[in-house]
Amino acid sequence: MFTTTLSKAIRHWTLLTVCSILLTLALVACGGGSTASSTPTPTPKPTVAPSPTAASNTQTYTGDGFTIDYPSSWQMSTPAAGQVVLADPTSGAGVRINVVDNTGGQTADAIVTATLQQFQSQYANLQQASDVPNSAMVGGDTWSQGGATYDVTSNNGQTANFKGVILADAHPANSSMPKGFLLVYAAPTAMFDQVNSDVFQPMLQTFIFTS
């Protein structure tokens, strides 16, 4: 839950991010699942969806002040202006990017902290990830970074553990009113390391600021 000192800009960023990540992660319940039967059957053992692999074919998404490449097999949606979700409908892995006109005077570190706090209020069993560095280089900027694992329960009652990484940046840094960039990528924890190596990191390497 937010503290009273957090600005409306932070609340706006984190609310949009959490809602959209819920949308992204809901795909794990829709993709690759079996339909319910009217006849009781033994409960099957949980299966893990195939991990996305580095795609030979990619396409470019052009957003507000940036471009990024993503696998052609992934789905793209824009819930609102300045927001994009790039998601693999089979595994539930996804990338979310929010852009706001200015940061409201808040630091990137504060945005990451506030987003983690909001995640904690939305998801069960949240544990901050100690293996996620507190910064990362993306698009030539040093972004603040944090990460966590948490349980996501779908509408049909199935629960899966996910790992997410949160990055925030104010760009350009020398501007009196820089744009705020918030990027979250997440995947089921069991396959996160492979997806991160094969897909997420190559995607981040294609991120370019255009303004």
Side-chain angles (χ1 to χ4, degrees):
M1 184 175 296
F2 294 119
T3 62
T4 56
T5 57
L6 292 177
S7 70
K8 290 182 180 179
I10 286 185
R11 292 197 299 271
H12 180 66
W13 283 24
T14 53
L15 178 61
L16 292 176
T17 301
V18 170
C19 291
S20 59
I21 288 297
L22 284 170
L23 174 64
T24 301
L25 301 186
L27 293 172
V28 76
C30 301
S34 59
T35 57
S37 172
S38 59
T39 303
T41 56
T43 302
K45 294 182 179 180
T47 57
V48 177
S51 172
T53 56
S56 57
N57 295 320
T58 62
Q59 51 190 329
T60 301
Y61 174 79
T62 300
D64 182 10
F66 74 95
T67 63
I68 189 170
D69 294 350
Y70 65 99
S72 298
S73 60
W74 283 29
Q75 295 178 351
M76 184 274 291
S77 63
T78 53
Q83 306 168 50
V84 63
V85 175
L86 306 170
D88 173 33
T90 302
S91 70
V95 175
R96 169 72 193 202
I97 303 172
N98 289 347
V99 182
V100 296
D101 287 338
N102 65 78
T103 63
Q106 299 298 323
T107 67
D109 283 345
I111 299 297
V112 170
T113 299
T115 306
L116 285 170
Q117 290 174 344
Q118 186 68 21
F119 269 44
Q120 191 165 25
S121 72
Q122 295 287 330
Y123 301 117
N125 195 31
L126 184 140
Q127 303 289 329
Q128 290 201 31
S130 60
D131 60 341
V132 176
N134 58 16
S135 66
M137 184 71 70
V138 178
D141 277 10
T142 299
W143 296 49
S144 295
Q145 182 175 249
T149 59
Y150 44 88
D151 290 340
V152 177
T153 302
S154 63
N155 291 335
N156 62 10
Q158 294 183 335
T159 298
N161 190 257
F162 274 73
K163 183 174 182 178
V165 175
I166 301 159
L167 298 104
D169 185 37
H171 183 87
N174 59 358
S175 171
S176 60
M177 293 185 63
K179 286 182 180 291
F181 291 81
L182 182 64
L183 187 154
V184 181
Y185 57 92
T189 302
M191 65 173 64
F192 180 87
D193 288 345
Q194 181 179 344
V195 181
N196 188 41
S197 174
D198 292 346
V199 183
F200 291 148
Q201 293 307 312
M203 285 180 67
L204 293 180
Q205 290 171 14
T206 71
F207 184 99
I208 298 173
F209 287 111
T210 57
S211 61

